[in-house]
Amino acid sequence: MARACPVQSPPRNAIIVRQGLGRTSLPIMVHKFDAVILGAGAAGLMCAIEAGKRGRRVAVLERADRAGKKILISGGGRCNFTNLHCRPEHFYSANPHFAKSALARYEPSDFIALVERHHIPYHEKTLGQLFCDRSSQDIVDLLETECRAAGVQIILNSNIQEVRRADEFIVRTDSGEFLAPVLVVATGGLSIPKLGATSLGYDLARQFGMKIRETRPALVPLLLGTNDRAQYCDLAGVSAEVEVSADHSSFREKMLITHRGLSGPAILQISTYWREQTSIRIDLAPGRDVTLPIREAKERNMAAARSALQGTLPKRFATRWLDLHAPPDWTNRALEKLEGQVHEWVVEPAGTEGYEKAEVTVGGVDTDELSSKTMESRRVPGLFFIGEVVDVTGHLGGFNFQWAWASGAAAGRAL
Ligand SMILES: Cc1cc2nc3c(=O)[nH]c(=O)nc-3n(C[C@H](O)[C@H](O)[C@H](O)COP(=O)(O)OP(=O)(O)OC[C@H]3O[C@@H](n4cnc5c(N)ncnc54)[C@H](O)[C@@H]3O)c2cc1C
């Protein structure tokens, strides 16, 4: 049986109808609302708050037993809820202009104001990334409190069986039918299936004839091929600041060697841009002249090379790199080649760690299908898509939540 939270009582305006005419037919509860939102994640809750504040009667149907589960595990439990330097270029989409309007109308400062109104302590960690001092629970509490104040009903454990459109949208669940002239799909992406991710959003978009951009896991560790794995993965745990590039994008952040491949912020960032069977290029010592000390050494030999590389790269990695790339001699030409190799390690990943480890899903509902102002479908009036289910993916660093807040607010204000 579905449980309503934070408002526990059944919907004010519920009426009872009979399903079918047979003797075994059971009564179905029919709940009428101004708007039904599917998914009580970041985007769905923000949308509900904005619509509720405007006097709309809003129901949020959530499959899980609590709201905002992904928020709870985000940012290592401290929710990196926004980024001070949020700009459209921090988002990946087939249409890089689509996100601009919503992002401009709900800025990081708007969410920060909300956080401050709820007296939630926070700090800037690095690169404009804002995290809770205590825990992500603070952000979920904030959203639930705002929902309660706006009269929003969050119905947990909702098993959505069918969505159809007659005069209104009808969402059939185990606990009854929800009717509304407006349906907002905020069911997120496919990452972390064990938290309850489903393809419902994409399925609904297809059902209503909308285009989907191919989905793939992103902000995800990359797997090395057999050879590279044999050569480097025993160094698991070693990390270095690198500049990694692919598909005309590059990121200068930390890279971490794992038991199966590469991770760390630099790799997670580039995973969004990486496509199967292509390579990434890693500058292991960005902006540094690694072989200068060898060239200037009294004697150019392996000891001088080791000391030079160990001065720039992590010790164990430097030793391994030299074992695998030992120059044939110590001429300027050989050293130039060694310098070049350090600045351009070309790696062809064998794959990614998949949706189980991905923070987000790239692709989704094609932005051509939606109004960039309101997130409403161009084909189906009254149908909205917000958050990660849309083909807009933020970089690592609080940008995905900012998109969830901004797209949720854009839709919520239009209901
Ligand atoms: C481990 C991890 C850490 C992250 N950390 C950060 C971070 O610190 N900062 C940041 O900006 N981003 C972070 N992200 C990304 C961020 O969590 C998402 O981009 C964001 O939550 C997307 O919001 P959303 O509302 O679109 O989707 P979600 O938050 O995923 O919400 C979708 C909701 O819909 C529900 N749902 C799904 N299917 C159904 C169905 N069939 N019926 C009913 N309900 C359904 C889900 O249970 C869920 O509650 C992280 C992601 C992960 C996995």
Side-chain angles (χ1 to χ4, degrees), residues 304-320:
R306 202 164 285 132
S307 137
L309 262 71
Q310 286 179 352
T312 319
L313 304 172
K315 220 170 168 183
R316 287 171 67 209
F317 189 83
T319 309
R320 179 64 50 83

Side-chain angles (χ1 to χ4, degrees), residues 38-44 61-64 68-71 73-75 79-81 131 158 160 186-189 191-192 195-198 200 358-360 386-389 397-402 404:
L38 307 183
L61 306 184
E62 168 57 53
R63 179 175 182 263
K69 270 193 165 177
K70 206 173 270 179
I71 301 172
I73 60 156
S74 69
C79 187
N80 176 194
F81 55 81
F131 284 77
S158 288
I160 295 164
T187 45
S191 49
I192 321 282
L195 278 191
T198 73
L200 180 68
E359 285 201 10
V360 287
I386 55 172
E388 202 180 313
V389 73
F399 301 106
N400 282 296
F401 279 132
Q402 188 57 34

Side-chain angles (χ1 to χ4, degrees), residues 3-9 12 33 37 40 44-60 66-67 114 118 137-156:
R3 190 161 57 90
C5 172
V7 180
Q8 298 273 348
S9 56
R12 298 175 287 239
F33 285 89
I37 299 174
L45 294 175
M46 176 55 79
C47 179
I49 292 163
E50 289 294 327
K53 281 198 306 205
R54 280 162 182 72
R56 305 289 177 268
R57 291 163 308 150
V58 180
V60 184
R66 59 192 295 188
L114 197 53
H118 284 256
Q137 184 67 53
D138 281 346
I139 300 295
V140 176
D141 290 347
L142 173 161
L143 295 166
E144 287 187 341
T145 304
E146 291 286 321
C147 277
R148 210 174 289 125
V152 171
Q153 298 195 28
I154 304 173
I155 297 138
L156 302 173

Side-chain angles (χ1 to χ4, degrees), residues 158-336:
S158 288
N159 180 24
I160 295 164
Q161 298 166 353
E162 186 194 19
V163 175
R164 60 184 200 281
R165 186 169 175 244
D167 292 341
E168 295 190 303
F169 290 94
I170 303 164
V171 181
R172 190 155 59 83
T173 73
D174 288 353
S175 58
E177 288 191 342
F178 291 78
L179 268 60
V182 163
L183 180 70
V184 183
V185 182
T187 45
L190 297 169
S191 49
I192 321 282
K194 68 171 189 264
L195 278 191
T198 73
S199 63
L200 180 68
Y202 310 116
D203 299 340
L204 288 176
R206 284 194 199 95
Q207 177 186 325
F208 286 101
M210 297 167 72
K211 279 184 293 171
I212 301 286
R213 290 258 163 197
E214 192 189 348
T215 54
R216 61 193 155 85
L219 299 184
V220 62
L222 297 174
L223 300 172
L224 286 177
T226 318
N227 280 350
D228 283 335
R229 203 181 287 190
Q231 287 176 332
Y232 297 103
C233 284
D234 62 315
L235 302 178
V238 168
S239 80
E241 179 165 319
V242 301
E243 185 163 319
V244 55
S245 33
D247 192 21
H248 309 293
S249 293
S250 64
F251 296 91
R252 186 169 171 166
E253 286 188 60
K254 284 243 153 125
M255 175 187 83
L256 171 75
I257 298 180
T258 71
H259 292 289
R260 284 149 54 95
L262 301 174
S263 187
I267 298 297
L268 299 182
Q269 298 278 33
I270 210 66
S271 71
T272 301
Y273 294 83
W274 176 74
R275 309 303 290 255
E276 295 272 342
Q277 286 167 4
T278 64
S279 40
I280 58 172
R281 288 177 310 287
I282 305 172
D283 181 344
L284 294 163
R288 278 173 291 175
D289 189 344
V290 182
T291 54
L292 180 68
I294 317 175
R295 293 201 302 276
E296 288 180 342
K298 269 199 199 131
E299 223 179 312
R300 294 182 177 188
N301 55 23
M302 206 53 170
R306 202 164 285 132
S307 137
L309 262 71
Q310 286 179 352
T312 319
L313 304 172
K315 220 170 168 183
R316 287 171 67 209
F317 189 83
T319 309
R320 179 64 50 83
W321 187 263
L322 265 184
D323 289 347
L324 295 169
H325 300 87
D329 52 50
W330 302 103
T331 59
N332 284 347
R333 201 159 164 193
L335 291 183
E336 239 169 63

